[in-house]
């Protein structure tokens, strides 16, 4: 029909991938139209399946398309209120079966109803005398279908009785218990959610910390899905322009030369590539919030790493002893610090013959055994895998009464490569304030100043002993809270984004992998199309194929559209 309509006019005015209207012959217009994305066509299949072959296949996997499903939507077990959700065309039958003498409540208004068991004599069939009932007519509901919610008293017997009564209400429609995730699947099939929003919904339900909750909320807004779809449509429209060039460049007039057209497409692709890199950066930050930020405690033996670990986690996670080298393996503990999920690792003390020991120490360092060597190796590996490294030094007193700082130079160099590094000096209560200030000043100049990346580091003096036995009247004995505040600032540096980019925290690992594949295809396009500026003739067929593959990866993120099949790549340009 579209093709016959196009033939009736000599020339058509169609927008290109930049939205600029250009003259096109009927043959050119048809070539462009048949490669346009499916999400903008208003056919019946679009209304049912959202123009997506992926959605169509998912719909076909449902046991019965017109089934009405129900399930307990609140947590199982005893509670004050339990929510039972019913979705599908049989919602009215369910309501009439449970509340035969009452009219359906006004949509989206709550009403108190007595729920009765169908088929039982009056007086013997009361399931719940004071249930709250809400009705949401489709398509403006959570699943896009008619939805009935029953808020009943949360006793296990009451919930079980209502769930058993719902299938008895069936008259014309089949009513069955919902499969796992079926409400969300129906919302996807009815275009109430895209796959990016579904992922964020799962993250919202799984969130355990405040920062995980905030990151999940960013993804449920739908901004990510709309952006991916916009990129996909731009790529497919650009592909339509290139395929029109392939089919009709020899015998038809184009407003733009092939070189100019490819240059314009390259500019568009370059913009999308820049945006993809920004989104991948957001994915790295969101993964830290979801999976936790890894923190490693490093330092030479007996500087107080295990004591600090116990102070931070609030329990005896590590064994504390005056004997150096007590910790021989990596000890880990997870906790929530100000809304950030963290994984702390107490490592074996790192010592080498290059360690910075004061000349007042007469004894040579003891030999490093095989077990200690393995512990040091694991400590170094843990440091390389961690986002935040806390390097500990300690204030020690020599036999002649002089104070010195015990630290390891190799550990400092190792920490300089970390994304975030904190320098901590323990046992600061051993020396007076003047001596401590002098030691810190010398340490910053002689040790930190000689290592690239640590010259501006500001050491924090703490005392685990003072924190364990706090003196009265002190708000932060041992300065452990100050260290926690610095940790929180480091976590914020690793995960924060500007206000106008907060939605990027919703980018998941799956989306990141597909974005990487899309980026690779676009890079291949840039290489192929860029050959026209090097005296070579670009292969426009291969360039168009790279765009098709890139668009298909974007379609896989949201589940909308299928760029791989020409018959399903329908008319954005025609509709405009």
């Amino acid at each position: 029909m579209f093709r016959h309509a196009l033939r009736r006019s000599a020339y058509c005015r169609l927008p290109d991938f930049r939205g600029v209207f250009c003259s096109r012959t009927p043959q050119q217009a048809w070539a462009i139209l048949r490669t346009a994305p499916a999400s903008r066509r208003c056919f019946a299949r679009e209304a049912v399946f959202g123009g997506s072959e992926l959605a169509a296949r998912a719909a076909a996997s449902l046991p019965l398309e017109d089934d009405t499903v129900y399930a307990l939507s609140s947590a199982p077990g005893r509670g004050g209120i339990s929510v039972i959700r019913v979705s599908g065309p049989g919602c009215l039958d369910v309501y009439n079966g449970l509340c035969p003498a009452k009219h359906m409540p006004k949509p989206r208004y709550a009403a108190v109803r007595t729920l009765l068991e169908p088929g039982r004599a009056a007086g013997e069939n009361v399931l719940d005398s004071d249930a709250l009932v809400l009705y949401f007519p489709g398509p403006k509901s959570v699943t896009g279908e008619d939805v009935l919610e029953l808020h009943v008293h949360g006793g296990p017997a009451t919930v079980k009785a209502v769930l058993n009564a719902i299938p008895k209400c069936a008259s014309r429609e089949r009513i069955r218990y919902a499969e796992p995730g079926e409400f969300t699947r129906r919302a996807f099939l009815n275009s109430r959610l895209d796959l990016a929003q579904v992922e964020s919904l799962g993250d919202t339900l799984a969130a355990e910390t405040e920062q995980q909750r905030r990151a999940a909320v960013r993804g449920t807004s739908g901004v990510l899905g709309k952006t991916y779809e916009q990129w996909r449509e731009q790529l497919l429209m650009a592909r339509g322009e290139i395929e029109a060039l392939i089919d009709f460049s020899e015998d038809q007039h184009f407003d733009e030369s092939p070189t100019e057209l490819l240059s314009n497409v390259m500019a568009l692709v370059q913009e999308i590539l820049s945006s993809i890199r920004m989104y991948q950066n957001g994915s790295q930050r969101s993964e830290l919030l979801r999976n936790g930020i890894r923190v490693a405690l490093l330092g030479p033996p007996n500087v107080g790493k295990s004591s600090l670990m116990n102070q931070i986690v609030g329990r005896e996670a590590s064994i504390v002893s005056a004997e150096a080298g007590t910790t021989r393996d990596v000890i880990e503990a997870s906790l929530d610090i100000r809304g950030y999920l963290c994984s702390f690792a107490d490592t074996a003390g790192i010592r080498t013959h290059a360690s910075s020991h004061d000349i007042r120490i007469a004894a040579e360092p003891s030999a490093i055994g095989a077990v200690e060597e393995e512990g040091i190796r694991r400590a170094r590996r843990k440091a390389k895998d961690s986002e935040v490294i806390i390097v500990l030094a300690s204030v020690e007193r020599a036999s002649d009464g002089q104070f010195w700082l015990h630290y390891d130079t190799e550990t400092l160099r190792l920490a300089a490569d970390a994304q975030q590094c904190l320098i901590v000096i323990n046992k600061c209560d051993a020396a007076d304030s003047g001596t401590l200030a002098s030691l810190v000043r010398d340490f910053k100049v002689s040790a930190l100043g000689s290592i690239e990346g640590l010259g501006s580091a500001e050491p924090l003096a703490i005392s685990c002993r003072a924190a364990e036995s706090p003196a009265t009247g002190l708000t932060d004995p041992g300065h452990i809270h100050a260290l926690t505040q610095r940790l929180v600032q480091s976590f914020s540096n690793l995960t924060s984004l500007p206000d106008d980019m907060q939605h990027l925290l919703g980018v998941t690992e799956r989306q990141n992998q597909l974005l990487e594949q899309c980026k690779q295809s676009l890079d291949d396009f840039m290489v192929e199309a860029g050959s026209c500026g090097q005296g070579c003739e670009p292969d426009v067929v291969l360039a168009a194929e790279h765009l098709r593959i890139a668009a298909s990866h974007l379609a896989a993120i949201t589940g909308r559209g299928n760029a791989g099949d020409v018959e399903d790549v329908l008319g954005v340009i025609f509709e405009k």
Side-chain angles (χ1 to χ4, degrees):
M1 180 179 66
F2 291 120
R3 194 168 192 173
H4 291 306
L6 287 170
R7 283 176 178 172
R8 286 197 287 265
S9 61
Y11 274 84
C12 305
R13 298 285 292 174
L14 293 176
D16 62 11
F17 61 91
R18 298 158 297 165
V20 178
F21 280 83
C22 302
S23 295
R24 296 288 184 262
T25 66
Q27 293 89 343
Q28 294 168 359
W30 177 248
I32 294 173
L33 289 176
R34 66 186 177 87
T35 57
S39 61
R40 305 294 293 274
R41 287 286 287 269
C42 298
F43 292 130
R45 192 164 60 85
E46 166 76 8
V48 177
F49 299 124
S52 169
E53 285 299 311
L54 176 61
R57 290 194 296 270
S61 68
L62 289 173
L64 280 177
E65 248 178 54
D66 296 330
D67 283 359
T68 296
V69 297
Y70 69 96
L72 177 66
S73 290
S74 54
R78 190 183 306 274
I81 298 293
S82 291
V83 179
I84 298 172
R85 176 177 290 168
V86 184
S87 178
C91 284
L92 184 60
D93 292 339
V94 173
Y95 177 81
N96 290 333
L98 298 177
C99 308
K102 294 286 187 178
H103 292 294
M104 176 72 81
K106 184 179 178 180
R108 295 176 181 79
Y109 280 77
V112 178
R113 295 287 188 267
T114 297
L115 303 185
L116 306 176
E117 183 178 2
R120 297 290 294 273
E124 299 179 1
N125 61 343
V126 177
L127 300 173
D128 194 350
S129 58
D130 295 297
L132 203 64
V133 177
L134 294 100
Y135 174 61
F136 304 90
K140 295 184 178 180
S141 67
V142 65
T143 62
E145 306 171 326
D146 290 347
V147 172
L148 181 69
E149 284 191 359
L150 307 174
H151 298 227
V152 302
H153 289 95
T158 301
V159 174
K160 183 178 179 180
V162 175
L163 290 173
N164 290 338
I166 289 177
K168 302 176 183 178
C169 302
S171 58
R172 302 181 305 274
E173 309 293 343
R174 182 188 178 204
I175 301 176
R176 60 176 175 81
Y177 202 84
E179 297 177 356
E182 187 165 355
F183 289 118
T184 304
R185 181 169 60 182
R186 292 190 172 207
F188 168 73
L189 295 179
N190 291 314
S191 299
R192 301 297 295 175
L193 297 172
D194 57 40
L195 289 185
Q197 289 175 294
V198 171
E199 287 181 300
S200 296
L201 177 61
D203 290 338
T204 300
L205 298 177
E208 296 181 353
T209 69
E210 176 62 15
Q211 295 299 330
Q212 287 177 331
R213 181 194 66 79
R214 291 185 179 185
V217 168
R218 308 301 184 199
T220 58
S221 63
V223 175
L224 291 175
K226 292 178 182 177
T227 303
Y228 298 143
E229 185 65 13
Q230 179 184 2
W231 293 347
R232 187 178 74 89
E233 292 185 1
Q234 289 176 332
L235 292 178
L236 293 179
M237 292 167 70
R239 173 190 161 202
E241 293 281 319
I242 294 177
E243 293 208 0
L245 175 66
I246 296 170
D247 292 341
F248 309 109
S249 60
E250 295 181 356
D251 57 352
Q252 300 292 341
H253 168 71
F254 274 79
D255 290 348
E256 299 169 303
S257 66
T259 301
E260 184 180 0
L261 176 61
L262 284 177
S263 298
N264 291 332
V265 176
M266 288 176 65
L268 169 70
V269 170
Q270 190 60 55
E271 291 179 6
I272 295 178
L273 282 171
S274 298
S275 298
I276 288 178
R277 295 186 190 99
M278 183 173 61
Y279 273 58
Q280 289 180 312
N281 180 53
S283 170
Q284 296 171 2
R285 294 171 183 263
S286 64
E287 283 302 303
L288 291 178
L289 295 178
R290 290 186 183 91
N291 300 329
I293 301 172
R294 294 165 295 187
V295 183
L297 300 175
L298 300 182
N302 208 27
V303 293
K305 297 186 298 297
S306 298
S307 297
L308 179 58
M309 171 87 159
N310 294 342
Q311 285 294 322
I312 292 176
V313 304
R315 60 183 176 87
E316 292 186 3
S318 297
I319 299 175
V320 177
S321 170
E323 180 182 347
T326 301
T327 302
R328 294 300 182 94
D329 200 356
V330 177
I331 299 174
E332 297 187 78
S334 296
L335 70 156
D336 179 349
I337 295 184
R338 311 279 178 86
Y340 293 94
L341 178 63
C342 314
S343 175
F344 275 83
D346 178 18
T347 63
I350 298 178
R351 67 186 183 100
T352 62
H353 292 292
S355 297
S356 295
H357 290 275
D358 193 275
I359 59 174
R360 285 179 284 272
I361 300 180
E364 287 291 329
S366 59
I368 300 176
V371 176
E372 185 179 1
E373 183 66 36
E374 176 62 19
I376 293 174
R377 187 189 67 82
R378 294 187 182 188
R380 293 189 181 116
R381 184 178 62 187
K382 178 59 66 174
K384 293 179 180 179
D385 293 339
S386 299
E387 287 80 34
V388 180
I389 293 180
I390 301 176
V391 179
L392 267 77
S394 64
V395 178
E396 305 292 344
R397 188 168 185 172
S399 56
D400 60 358
Q402 298 296 315
F403 291 96
W404 57 282
L405 281 185
H406 182 33
Y407 64 91
D408 181 76
T409 305
E410 181 191 352
T411 305
L412 292 174
R413 293 195 181 98
L414 193 64
D417 296 330
Q419 298 182 49
Q420 295 287 314
C421 174
L422 299 179
I423 309 298
V424 176
I425 300 176
N426 191 24
K427 306 180 185 179
C428 64
D429 58 327
D432 59 78
S433 58
T435 302
L436 179 63
S438 177
L439 290 173
V440 171
R441 184 168 55 251
D442 293 342
F443 175 61
K444 290 174 62 177
V445 174
S446 60
L448 301 184
S450 62
I451 299 176
E452 184 178 358
L454 295 182
S456 59
E458 190 63 37
L460 175 65
I462 68 168
S463 172
C464 293
R465 178 180 299 176
E468 293 171 359
S469 304
T472 58
L474 297 179
T475 57
D476 185 15
H479 300 158
I480 301 299
H481 292 305
L483 174 58
T484 302
Q485 186 59 41
R486 285 201 182 184
L487 275 173
V488 172
Q489 183 59 50
S490 297
F491 299 159
S492 177
N493 294 339
L494 289 170
T495 60
S496 62
L497 288 168
D499 292 341
D500 59 343
M501 298 170 59
Q502 287 293 309
H503 61 281
L504 299 186
L505 292 177
V507 181
T508 63
E509 179 59 26
R510 183 190 74 92
Q511 296 173 29
N512 184 47
Q513 292 176 2
L514 289 169
L515 286 174
E516 180 60 33
Q517 296 173 21
C518 175
K519 176 176 172 292
Q520 182 61 52
S521 296
L522 294 179
D523 286 336
D524 292 341
F525 168 83
M526 294 294 288
V527 171
E528 185 62 41
S531 63
C532 65
Q534 302 171 4
C536 302
E537 187 68 24
D539 187 337
V540 290
V541 176
L542 185 57
E545 178 65 9
H546 290 318
L547 292 183
R548 184 195 66 80
I549 296 174
S552 68
H553 292 314
L554 293 175
I557 296 180
T558 61
R560 303 299 181 199
N562 187 349
D565 192 335
V566 173
E567 294 302 321
D568 294 320
V569 183
L570 307 175
V572 166
I573 301 177
F574 184 85
E575 183 177 324
K576 284 185 178 180

